[in-house]
Amino acid sequence: MACRPDRNNHGFTLLELLVVMVIIGLLAGYVGPKYFQQIGKSEVKTAKAQIAALEQALDQYRLDVGHYPATEQGLQALMTNADNNTHWSGPYLKKEVPNDPWGKPYQYRLPGQHGEYDLFSLGKDGQVGGSDEAQDITNW
């Protein structure tokens, strides 16, 4: 028997498939950048929330010990009593001191240039300044 085209067998033509692929490509080109922009915004929000939590832990440390940790001690003073202070009641964080959302450690400086202490992240680019995702996230 010879294969004859069946008029009841309806499939997609190459042209129809190409049109669908172009439409999907256009949608991806429109939605994709907006999606990734939202991811960048969420990283900035996470950094701000982590800085706020670290500020609370530093304030609790100060209430117990009487002063903020020195720059040399850094944020690790919230987790360990390295100088054997008798008033230390830590650890002041439930987990280890987090890195910022871009994997870099938060910067801590006492005395601060903008307040009693400075606590900040240099953002996605790891450089001072910047805008959008590369902006510095600070406690001042």
Side-chain angles (χ1 to χ4, degrees):
M1 282 194 199
C3 275
R4 280 191 268 152
D6 186 6
R7 294 188 186 254
N8 293 329
N9 186 6
H10 298 286
F12 294 107
T13 66
L14 181 60
L15 181 61
E16 290 170 328
L17 289 174
L18 287 174
V19 168
V20 169
M21 289 175 59
V22 166
I23 291 171
I24 290 172
L26 289 172
L27 286 173
Y30 178 74
V31 173
K34 293 197 179 294
Y35 172 76
F36 289 112
Q37 184 180 24
Q38 291 301 319
I39 290 175
K41 286 181 183 178
S42 68
E43 289 172 334
V44 170
K45 288 179 183 178
T46 299
K48 288 179 181 180
Q50 286 177 333
I51 285 177
L54 290 169
E55 282 182 303
Q56 289 178 350
L58 285 165
D59 289 342
Q60 186 62 48
Y61 177 97
R62 181 180 182 212
L63 287 172
D64 290 347
V65 177
H67 56 82
Y68 289 112
T71 302
E72 298 76 36
Q73 292 174 295
L75 298 174
Q76 285 304 316
L78 299 172
M79 299 304 297
T80 58
N81 187 7
D83 59 352
N84 295 321
N85 191 305
T86 57
H87 299 292
W88 192 85
S89 298
Y92 295 95
L93 297 170
K94 291 181 182 179
K95 298 179 182 177
E96 288 296 315
V97 177
N99 285 334
D100 68 15
W102 302 279
K104 299 174 189 88
Y106 284 100
Q107 306 295 310
Y108 171 77
R109 185 171 42 218
L110 181 82
Q113 296 174 348
H114 303 278
E116 204 165 350
Y117 62 87
D118 291 346
L119 179 60
F120 57 97
S121 165
L122 295 175
K124 184 176 184 175
D125 64 353
Q127 304 294 319
V128 175
S131 61
D132 297 326
E133 293 177 47
Q135 72 180 340
D136 298 346
I137 295 97
T138 66
N139 71 326
W140 60 86

